[in-house]
Amino acid sequence: MLSRLDADIPDALVYWQVSRGTALRSHVFPDPAVPPNLLITVRQKIMPAPDDRVKLITTPDLRFALCHIKTINLLPNVLAHQQAEAAGCDEAVLHRDGVVTECSSSALLLLKDGALRVRPLDDYILPSTTRKHIMETCRELDIPIVEAAFTLEEMMDADEILLSCTTTLFRGVDAIDGIPVGGKDPELFERIYGAYRRRLLTECPASDE
């Protein structure tokens, strides 16, 4: 199916979702087990330019305490993202008592004093694949990585703020809650972005078929 779409959609987002299957509503698993369901959607995706920066808001993290498990209980994420949309922003930064966790549908990383700073993986953030790839790219470039939780104040003081997700790689942030941020180390930002993009094109080459 994807090969027939290549001519019409040169750059596409392919999303697949697997569920446990279809059965009568109950609080126990069906017995005997039912076959799983697989849903695949394909749509055109235009990647943003590296200098296309975004604006964020901050909001308390109201999610439950097992955020590292990707479930369908995404109502707090949806409400936070809608709050950002209503404010004319692109994303919402979630925090617990002033300590940043992640964004409603993205990971958040900082550049400070020549190093990449990321929150360690724990029960409050999803183990982002893009976060992992950014960290691997920084290691290849010999850029130091600091895995430590950071506060809203430390975020606002960062040299650059990176908003990352699978569909856009990562983008720089230029305002949070209406306050200008980042823009202090564009050379390092562009160095990481360029290396990441080259890695992506190498590992996922375009097909001529």
Side-chain angles (χ1 to χ4, degrees), residues 193-209:
Y193 188 93
Y196 191 152
R197 185 167 180 80
R198 287 191 296 272
R199 172 181 176 171
L200 177 66
L201 294 176
T202 300
E203 296 181 357
C204 305
S207 173
D208 295 330
E209 299 179 1

Side-chain angles (χ1 to χ4, degrees), residues 15 29-30 32-33 36 39 42 46 49 73 75 81 88 95 128 152 163 180 183 191:
Y15 184 85
F29 300 153
L39 173 67
V42 182
I46 300 176
N73 185 24
L75 180 59
H81 208 123
H95 66 91
S128 162
L152 291 171
L163 180 73
R191 183 183 174 203

Side-chain angles (χ1 to χ4, degrees), residues 154-189:
E154 290 171 318
M155 174 187 69
M156 300 296 286
D157 188 51
D159 297 332
E160 298 286 353
I161 302 173
L162 281 56
L163 180 73
S164 74
C165 70
T166 302
T167 57
T168 58
L169 303 186
F170 63 87
R171 303 164 75 181
V173 179
D174 64 6
I176 298 179
D177 290 335
I179 301 172
V181 296
K184 302 173 187 175
D185 199 345
E187 293 82 7
L188 183 58
F189 177 92

Side-chain angles (χ1 to χ4, degrees), residues 60-69 73-78 80 94-96 100-106 123-126:
D61 191 342
L62 303 177
R63 301 172 300 168
F64 68 116
L66 297 174
C67 304
H68 64 297
I69 303 173
N73 185 24
L74 295 177
L75 180 59
N77 302 66
V78 171
L94 307 179
H95 66 91
R96 293 176 183 260
V100 175
T101 50
E102 56 187 354
C103 293
S104 66
S105 61
S106 315
D123 291 351
Y124 292 118
I125 67 171
L126 194 68

